Amino acid sequence: MFRSRRTAAALASSAAILASLFSTPGTAAEAVKIGVLTDMAGVTADATGKGSVEAARLAIEEAGGKALGQPIELVSGDHQHRPDIGSSMARRWFDVDGVSVIVDVPNSAVALAVQGVAREKKKLVLFSSPGTTALSQEQCSPYGVQWTYTTYALSRGTANAVVREGNKRWFILASDYAFGKQLAADTTAVVKANGGDVVGTVYHPLNASDFSSFLLQAQASRSQIIAVANAGGDTISAIKTAAEFGIGRGDQKLAAMLLLLTDVHSLGLEAAQSTFLTVPSYWDRNEASREFSKKFQARVGHPPTFLQAGVYSSVRHYLKAVEAAGTIDAEAVAAKMKALPIDDPFTLNGHIRADGLVVRDMLLAQVKTPAQSKAPWDSYNIVRTIPGDDLAWPLSESKCPLVKQ
């Protein structure tokens, strides 16, 4: 009896040793675990939040719910727009909970903090919602991908395209802090490079209570375009006030440097009509995007914003890369993600560059009038497609240390 127990113990020990010798980290023995780090109750909750979680879930369901023979797990958390909370949550997910990739991360300050943790832990993070160029410029990482957009792309796309439509005379209304000033500077540079002229710029305080005086200056400028270079509640307030002044319905049009589908819905077409904007994707673009959006809307109550569509497509591409690499090892999966073409209903001609930026074609859109809209969320006329290479800085000018000059 004693000898048989010793023999069984020895065999079990040998089996364990053999298993450890022939298994490698990141193989099918490890499950894929995806963490959606988002805003569940704050200012961007409608545009990200629950919708981002469901977008990731739909991508997992499309993959059959498994990767490398293991069930895919999904966790989510609210960073509350605080870098300390976001970075702490990312660290716990990587160190304790076995998360293999983090996605979404609205708020640029939180995203940069999470980028630092992911670089330290050698784990992947796919940024759908933050727009700061630092993620793929000065603070780029071999483990980070800026998936959906940059502020550079949106301002450049709208200014370039609208000037080329014959709108040469511009006035800029911008928020008086770094974000707004950068949008104003980028917009000015593009307008002038295309033969246009910025006849005036006015800066408003963050969370301004009244935009009347600023918009009266803009209206008096006799510009063809008033560029709204701010975000969130300030954008909504500025466009609402512009509608009260009749701006956007006559010779003067609005161009929003950052505007989301949920913002337009909140404003209503009566106020937002005729506003120009650049979008990385639109739910009503093609049959495949409409099919996905129908499933998404059944769960969330509205079609996906381009941030939520970005979560879906980033998770979908990640899972394809995991299968192709045969591992969840971050470096191997990142290499496959860059090698594989990005193929989903919301991405036009997309690829991942050496700096971690996804370059994609985008759409110049104009908000429909109430008479043009045929159904709820039928919000945009697509004016034209903007080539992705027009929306990204040349790699020869990159500040990313990963790029060989």
Side-chain angles (χ1 to χ4, degrees):
M1 177 75 72
F2 178 70
R3 180 176 294 176
S4 64
R5 287 179 179 173
R6 282 197 308 179
T7 302
L11 288 171
S13 177
S14 298
I17 293 170
L18 286 170
S20 67
L21 288 172
F22 288 101
S23 65
T24 48
T27 62
E30 295 183 76
V32 171
K33 195 168 187 177
I34 298 168
V36 183
L37 186 56
T38 191
D39 169 18
M40 299 299 274
V43 293
T44 57
D46 286 346
T48 60
K50 175 186 174 184
S52 291
V53 177
E54 290 305 318
R57 198 185 314 277
L58 282 164
I60 291 169
E61 290 172 8
E62 281 188 16
K66 290 186 176 182
L68 304 178
Q70 297 278 343
I72 301 166
E73 298 181 53
L74 181 67
V75 297
S76 62
D78 185 352
H79 58 49
Q80 300 174 43
H81 290 274
R82 288 179 52 182
D84 58 334
I85 292 177
S87 57
S88 295
M89 191 171 294
R91 191 176 297 277
R92 187 182 75 245
W93 278 357
F94 289 145
D95 286 347
V96 179
D97 298 333
V99 168
S100 50
V101 63
I102 289 175
V103 300
D104 199 20
V105 203
N107 187 301
S108 291
V110 177
L112 289 169
V114 172
Q115 176 101 304
V117 175
R119 184 189 295 108
E120 174 193 338
K121 300 298 179 181
K122 298 183 178 181
K123 296 285 190 177
L124 284 171
V125 56
L126 311 178
F127 298 105
S128 174
S129 294
T132 176
T133 58
L135 287 167
S136 47
Q137 283 271 48
E138 298 89 344
Q139 297 189 47
C140 68
S141 164
Y143 307 102
V145 180
Q146 190 159 20
W147 192 266
T148 310
Y149 79 106
T150 63
T151 53
Y152 177 95
L154 296 192
S155 60
R156 187 174 179 84
T158 302
N160 252 328
V162 174
V163 172
R164 289 175 184 173
E165 293 291 317
N167 301 286
K168 300 288 188 180
R169 189 175 170 88
W170 286 58
F171 187 97
I172 299 175
L173 169 63
S175 50
D176 193 13
Y177 68 110
F179 172 79
K181 289 180 178 179
Q182 187 61 57
L183 279 177
D186 288 344
T187 302
T188 299
V190 174
V191 169
K192 290 184 175 180
N194 283 278
D197 185 27
V198 176
V199 298
T201 301
V202 63
Y203 294 96
H204 67 81
L206 185 64
N207 295 324
S209 59
D210 186 2
F211 281 86
S212 299
S213 62
F214 306 115
L215 284 164
L216 284 171
Q217 291 181 59
Q219 195 172 42
S221 72
R222 297 184 177 275
S223 61
Q224 293 168 287
I225 298 293
I226 299 173
V228 181
N230 50 23
D234 283 333
T235 304
I236 292 172
S237 296
I239 294 176
K240 278 184 176 178
T241 306
E244 293 169 5
F245 290 173
I247 296 171
R249 301 180 193 179
D251 293 335
Q252 278 185 322
K253 302 297 182 186
L254 293 177
M257 298 299 106
L258 178 60
L259 190 65
L260 294 162
L261 185 67
T262 44
D263 296 333
V264 173
H265 190 72
S266 175
L267 282 162
L269 296 183
E270 186 69 31
Q273 62 183 302
S274 302
T275 301
F276 288 102
L277 66 155
T278 297
V279 291
S281 65
Y282 180 46
W283 73 269
D284 198 20
R285 178 64 175 164
N286 53 50
E287 198 57 47
S289 65
R290 285 189 284 272
E291 183 180 344
F292 171 84
S293 298
K294 184 178 180 180
K295 292 185 289 186
F296 182 92
Q297 186 165 356
R299 300 185 185 192
V300 180
H302 61 74
T305 64
F306 66 70
L307 305 179
Q308 292 160 341
V311 171
Y312 161 74
S313 60
S314 66
V315 172
R316 173 176 162 144
H317 192 68
Y318 169 78
L319 293 174
K320 286 185 177 181
V322 166
E323 290 290 354
T327 176
I328 61 171
D329 175 76
E331 292 185 8
V333 175
K336 280 294 181 185
M337 289 183 72
K338 290 175 180 176
L340 291 171
I342 301 173
D343 177 24
D344 67 71
F346 297 101
T347 304
L348 301 173
N349 299 321
H351 64 278
I352 305 173
R353 301 198 309 188
D355 55 2
L357 177 67
V358 172
V359 177
R360 66 176 70 237
D361 293 354
M362 295 192 186
L363 305 168
L364 177 66
Q366 190 173 24
V367 178
K368 288 184 174 182
T369 66
Q372 291 172 329
S373 180
K374 304 304 180 186
W377 303 100
D378 176 24
S379 303
Y380 300 155
N381 287 314
I382 303 303
V383 178
R384 69 183 183 89
T385 299
I386 308 169
D389 287 339
D390 291 352
L391 302 172
W393 50 91
L395 281 176
S396 59
E397 300 174 9
S398 175
K399 299 174 184 176
C400 171
L402 301 173
V403 177
K404 295 180 182 178
Q405 303 290 353

